[in-house]
Amino acid sequence: MLARQRQAVILEEARRSGAVRVSDLVLRLGVSDMTVRRDLDVLAGRGLVEKVYGGATSVGGKSTDEPGFEAKSVRQRTQKEAIASLAAGLVRPGTAIGISAGTTTWTMARALESIPGLTIVTNSIQVADVLRGSGEADRTVVLTGGVRTPSDALVGPVAVHSLRSLHLDLVFLGVHGMADGPGFTTPNLTESETNRALVEAGRKLVVLADHTKWGIVGISTIADLDEADVVVSDDGLSEHARETLAEQSGELMVANVDEDDE
């Protein structure tokens, strides 16, 4: 098991039970005490767990907690780039696509520069800035109106009205969390309504979410797991998460991440 896969298992268990013990993880993972402690150091350094004597506790996070764009953009950069590259391969020249707000979708937008003839609809200020700055003469970028959120999404009645009149080939959705039961969620009620309108505008839904999103539950569901035609994640995703997503969504695509690049 690779380090990031061990860490995903540890994180999932911490979120499920609220705390983990080093001794229990040694037995479960079949690795040394020092290896587990190093994994906990990595997770604690990312702000995902809090180290305590003999183990670690889950870093809570309320269902309405919403980090700003800048704070999220520095997390799991390597994983997001691998996911973005894989997801961009689904886009064909001349198609109409929707891209939601989020740092993973923003990363994917930068990978679309070489694809001609795209019409792109987004409620993300950051995504629109990237696409408009690419200099492609045959590209149309449509930015919905709306009220700005901490994650630089435009949400609310204006955005929803704009999206409900559109018909898109593909929709790429970034999410705050994903879990068996709640599905794909967000901590912002208004953004959830806007994202649902974006999802409904597309013939095919592609969800982009790195492995740390598994087990996170925001206050509002955007879509159920089985509404995703494709889920693109990275190879830090735990076996349980992979099995659940492969079973419930249309297709699970897993991006390989070079550990040396992390």
Side-chain angles (χ1 to χ4, degrees), residues 34-56:
M34 286 301 296
T35 297
V36 170
R37 292 184 186 279
R38 282 197 297 269
D39 286 339
L40 291 177
D41 284 338
V42 170
L43 292 172
R46 294 176 180 170
L48 300 173
V49 301
E50 181 177 347
K51 289 190 70 180
V52 296
Y53 182 77

Side-chain angles (χ1 to χ4, degrees), residues 36-205:
V36 170
R37 292 184 186 279
R38 282 197 297 269
D39 286 339
L40 291 177
D41 284 338
V42 170
L43 292 172
R46 294 176 180 170
L48 300 173
V49 301
E50 181 177 347
K51 289 190 70 180
V52 296
Y53 182 77
T57 58
S58 174
V59 174
K62 301 170 187 167
S63 62
T64 54
D65 282 350
E66 185 176 10
F69 183 88
E70 293 300 327
K72 292 191 292 184
S73 67
V74 300
R75 300 175 183 174
Q76 283 74 50
R77 282 183 176 177
T78 306
Q79 287 83 359
K80 290 173 182 176
E81 288 172 359
I83 290 168
S85 178
L86 193 58
L90 298 172
V91 180
R92 297 291 175 261
T95 53
I97 65 173
I99 304 178
S100 78
T103 52
T104 309
T105 48
W106 170 73
T107 304
M108 190 205 73
R110 294 185 294 165
L112 299 178
E113 291 186 2
S114 63
I115 303 176
L118 297 179
T119 297
I120 301 165
V121 176
T122 184
N123 69 321
S124 168
I125 296 169
Q126 299 284 351
V127 168
D129 283 346
V130 166
L131 295 170
R132 282 202 304 256
S134 65
E136 295 292 327
D138 62 347
R139 175 171 296 164
T140 301
V141 180
V142 179
L143 179 64
T144 68
V147 179
R148 188 172 183 170
T149 71
S151 59
D152 283 347
L154 296 177
V155 301
V158 173
V160 170
H161 179 75
S162 299
L163 292 166
R164 282 185 175 159
S165 63
L166 300 177
H167 306 282
L168 306 170
D169 298 306
L170 276 174
V171 167
F172 292 91
L173 179 69
V175 298
H176 173 75
M178 56 180 176
D180 190 9
F184 303 107
T185 60
T186 173
N188 187 303
L189 286 169
T190 311
E191 186 167 3
S192 177
E193 182 184 13
T194 302
N195 280 342
R196 277 197 290 269
L198 180 61
V199 168
E200 291 167 4
R203 289 192 298 108
K204 186 173 182 179
L205 173 62

